[in-house]
Amino acid sequence: MKFRKDMLFLYAVTDQGFTGEKTLTEQIEEALSAGVTLLQLREKGLDKSIFLEEALIVRELTRHYGIPLIINDDVEIALKCGADGVHVGQDDLSPLEVRRLIGPERILGVTAKSPEQAKRAFMEGADYIGSGAIFPSPTKKDAAALTLEQLSAICRSVPIPVTAIGGITGQNVSLLKGTGIAGAAVVSGIFGQGNITAAVHGLKEQLLKVVSL
């Protein structure tokens, strides 16, 4: 699937920590049907075989809804399940190596917390940048916060789109207006909500005031 900037508009990132009454698959299907524009399957420390089984199920769901699937960190799982791309952090495989492994057609996202990191990621083949944490986040309590000024500087530093991540909800996303982001990557603001459909609709409504599509 060819990457487009508008895919980043509302980027849902999974977290098993928010499952309870609903399974992760049920949560994902609700988010997809509600209108998220990109899905990242993120599993830290899950056994490879179980991760692959899960990824194959989620791949079928994302195909059904026509939404791209990104796998966090794991190139092998991404290739085996037929995902549309991979997202890597600063401590994972280099973007150059990931691009070599996934080829030119798949999407490559890279985390960057400074203009320098963003420029390097762009030079090494990234399609988009993920930057945060913007607000305090329940999923990454130790993540160093980025100011809105730093986020804006990252957006200005590269010709590829930037998505903000970290504690973003329907209540605070409007604060990102004017930073230059292409969209918001959301974890707890979607999967930590009792009504995922309502959360997605609320986020999209607010994002339309923030992002120029």
Side-chain angles (χ1 to χ4, degrees), residues 190-208:
I190 292 175
F191 295 109
Q193 306 306 302
N195 188 330
I196 288 173
T197 299
V200 169
H201 290 170
L203 278 158
K204 292 185 81 172
E205 184 180 345
Q206 293 302 313
L207 276 166
L208 286 170

Side-chain angles (χ1 to χ4, degrees), residues 5 15 27 37 42 44 60 65-66 68 72 80 94 98 102 124 138 178 189 209:
K5 175 183 172 181
D15 189 325
Q27 288 185 326
T37 56
R42 182 167 69 183
K44 300 288 188 180
E60 288 308 306
Y65 286 96
N72 181 260
K80 283 184 175 178
S94 74
V98 176
I102 67 174
E124 293 187 356
K209 305 171 187 174

Side-chain angles (χ1 to χ4, degrees), residues 11-15 18 42 139 165 168 185-192:
Y11 185 168
V13 182
T14 68
D15 189 325
F18 295 116
R42 182 167 69 183
T139 55
I165 190 169
I168 296 169
V186 183
V187 189
S188 62
I190 292 175
F191 295 109

Side-chain angles (χ1 to χ4, degrees), residues 10 12 21 35 73 92 173 189 200 205 207:
L10 183 52
E21 292 182 9
D73 294 351
D92 302 315
V173 70
V200 169
E205 184 180 345
L207 276 166

